[in-house]
Every structure is written in structure tokens, then in C-alpha cells.
Amino acid sequence: MTASSPPTPVVYGEGSRPPRGDYARDGLVLADYTCPQNYAAYTAQDHDTYRRLFERQSALLPGLACDAFIEALPRLGARDRIPRFEEINASLTPATGWEVVAVPGLIPEVPFFTLLANRKFPVTDWIRTPDEMDYIVEPDVFHDLFGHVPLLFNPVFADHMQAYGVGGLKAHGLGACEQLSRLYWYTVEFGLVRQADGLRAYGAGILSSAGELQHSVRSPQPQRLALDVTRCMRTRYKIDSYQQTYFVIDSFQQLFDLTAPDFTPLYAQVQAQDALTADASVAGDLPG
Ligand code: PHE
Ligand code: FE
């Protein structure tokens, strides 16, 4: 693939809606799907949207977000404008060897996993419009930076994300991306962690959402289960509503250890069973 024939993007999950980013960019999207962060293209309104999202979301964190996230958030740099990715990398790379790279939007599985396996985290460079403050279907720069990047400063979580990328490439070869993506959804995106002082959120989809942050940690409605890898990989998820089930870990070390075994036999086992609905409860479920 050359720079003059930009890669064809795909969207995760079902649906034929095309992704929103500009994947053509006059040849600026590279074969690995990264692109320069189009910083000059941000308008004053874009920077203001980021500032307002950051301010609203950071005020909600105490008592709801995990300690590691709250501690690392100041290291994300500018909060009154969209940060330049190189500013973030100046502190992130020395901390854990991770690097933030710009992408035009959602990218296909293999390039996504390849970037993670190389400790590069793809961040969408565009930002939502002001009428999308409360909800956006696709990840934008606020979700990707605010939601995902603070925990890349945590050494254990940082190693987990790289292992996930390596595991993703393996899952692709085994035809098991759907199973692995459910694990990602219920951990990296919507995971909860049990701290000594109570339940907290560590998933990026929760941490970047004003509504779901409170719902996931406090609401009596959803079920909260102790993370079990095969149970999780059997469970379908909803992308357009709050989660009906959250999986809870005790620590990032536990997440790392639970996902360390060879998944090859686990994929075979899960694929031989029927998938579970997002609100299912089955024998053997343990409260989280
Ligand atoms: N251990 C998994 C495998 O062997 C890979 C993996 C690591 C998956 C971390 C998720 C998270 O396939
Ligand atoms: Fe995300």
C-alpha cells in the first residue's frame, strides 16, 4: 500500500455506516493507518469542546474513577485545548515506552493490533461537534486521549495493552477476533476495578462518558460479575446503550495474569458454545 492509495477503513462490529474520519487526506494516511495529527485544522470551537469535556469529566472522577487513572491524568498535559500528541509523548514515552500516534478514525483489526504490539496507541485526531457532548458513536480525540491514555502511564496496564496487541494478531490468525474483542470491550473499554475503598471505573468508554461513569459504579440496575475470561468472551455487548453487565477485576496485575495463558484452547471452547446476551446470567457467575 502506498501513500497515494490510502487504506480502506472498516468499522468494528456490524453496520454499513462509513467511519467519519478523513481517510484520504491527500495521501497523508500511511500504510500503517497512522497520519500526522492535523493540528492546524482544529478550530477554536474544537479546542473549546475539548476543554469543556475535560472540565466536566474531571470533576466527576473522585469516588468513581480508579486511583491510577486520577493520579496519571495530570500527565496528559493541556486541558484547556486539544494537546499536541508530541507533547504527550514527551512524558509518556519516558514513563512506559508507549507512544500516541494519530489515526483518521477506526482502523482495521490487524493494523490496530500491530500498533499496540509495538506500544503505539492509535488516537483519532478529530473531535466531536458541540451537540455530541453527551454521546458519540465513534471514538474521537477526547475519548481516545482522556479515556485511554492516562492508564498507559501505569506500567502493568501498559504491559497488558501490548500483550493484548500481540494476542490480537494471534486471534486474527485463529479466527477469534470476535471473542477477543468482547474481552476488550468489557475490560479496556468498560471494566471496573474493586479498590480497597470501593468499586471504581478503569474502562475508557466509562471514563470518557459523563452518564455511564455514575451508572456503572453506582446504579443498582446492571449486574457486576467477577472477571472470568471465557464467560466474558462469550458475552455479546451493546454499543448504543449503557452496559447491562460489567466485569470486575481486583487489580491490573490480576487482569494481566488472567489474560496471560494461551487463549487457543479457550477460543475453541468459547466458539463451541452459544454466545450469551449482554444481560444473561448463567450458572457459575460470581459477583464482582
Ligand atoms: N494470552 C492471550 C493469548 O495467548 C493473549 C492476550 C493477552 C489476550 C492479553 C488479551 C490480553 O492469546
Ligand atoms: Fe476506546
Side-chain angles (χ1 to χ4, degrees):
M1 187 107 34
T2 66
S4 58
S5 72
T8 310
V10 299
V11 190
Y12 293 149
E14 316 87 76
S16 53
R17 181 179 51 81
R20 190 157 133 184
D22 173 10
Y23 292 80
R25 298 266 180 106
D26 299 322
L28 282 176
V29 176
L30 303 177
D32 68 356
Y33 279 84
T34 64
C35 60
Q37 182 187 17
N38 204 350
Y39 203 82
Y42 296 133
T43 63
Q45 183 182 76
D46 289 340
H47 288 299
D48 196 56
T49 299
Y50 187 89
R51 183 190 61 75
R52 289 190 297 132
L53 284 164
F54 202 114
E55 196 174 285
R56 176 176 75 175
Q57 208 61 20
S58 35
L60 293 172
L61 299 177
L64 296 174
C66 69
D67 291 344
F69 183 88
I70 293 178
E71 281 161 21
L73 190 62
R75 303 172 81 173
L76 211 51
R79 41 172 70 209
D80 57 342
R81 59 174 171 85
I82 300 169
R84 288 181 189 274
F85 296 169
E86 54 274 28
E87 297 167 3
I88 296 174
N89 289 336
S91 55
L92 178 60
T93 307
T96 56
W98 274 82
E99 189 188 332
V100 163
V101 292
V103 287
L106 289 169
I107 66 174
E109 282 154 348
V110 168
F112 178 69
F113 295 142
T114 304
L115 288 171
L116 295 184
N118 289 288
R119 290 175 103 88
K120 291 178 201 282
F121 192 81
V123 172
T124 306
D125 69 347
W126 53 265
I127 192 154
R128 68 193 74 185
T129 61
D131 55 304
E132 294 171 307
M133 287 289 287
D134 293 331
Y135 180 73
I136 179 166
V137 191
E138 276 177 66
D140 71 341
V141 66
F142 180 73
H143 165 80
D144 282 340
L145 281 186
F146 187 96
H148 287 282
V149 176
L151 288 183
L152 294 176
F153 284 90
N154 178 282
V156 178
F157 197 84
D159 285 350
H160 171 72
M161 289 299 290
Q162 179 179 20
Y164 178 85
V166 175
L169 291 170
K170 177 170 141 191
H172 182 79
L174 295 168
C177 284
E178 188 178 358
Q179 285 69 36
L180 186 63
S181 72
R182 292 183 187 141
L183 183 67
Y184 188 87
W185 188 264
Y186 284 116
T187 56
V188 176
E189 293 291 354
F190 291 96
L192 298 178
V193 57
R194 174 88 43 205
Q195 291 186 176
D197 54 353
L199 199 60
R200 299 287 187 273
Y202 73 90
I206 303 177
L207 291 162
S208 62
S209 156
E212 190 149 3
L213 184 52
Q214 314 187 51
H215 174 86
S216 63
V217 176
R218 298 256 193 265
S219 168
Q221 274 169 29
Q223 62 171 342
R224 298 182 184 84
L225 303 177
L227 178 63
D228 174 290
V229 165
T230 51
R231 166 64 164 92
C232 185
M233 291 198 298
R234 274 182 80 186
T235 312
R236 293 208 178 93
Y237 55 84
K238 299 255 174 88
I239 66 163
D240 54 1
S241 66
Y242 293 160
Q243 304 307 304
Q244 293 168 307
T245 299
Y246 296 95
F247 288 91
V248 182
I249 59 172
D250 296 330
S251 64
F252 296 144
Q253 189 61 49
Q254 187 208 21
L255 176 62
F256 189 89
D257 294 343
L258 285 176
T259 53
D262 180 6
F263 278 13
T264 309
L266 305 185
Y267 291 142
Q269 182 193 322
V270 171
Q271 287 173 342
Q273 294 173 305
D274 288 331
L276 299 171
T277 57
D279 62 349
S281 87
V282 295
D285 280 351
L286 293 174

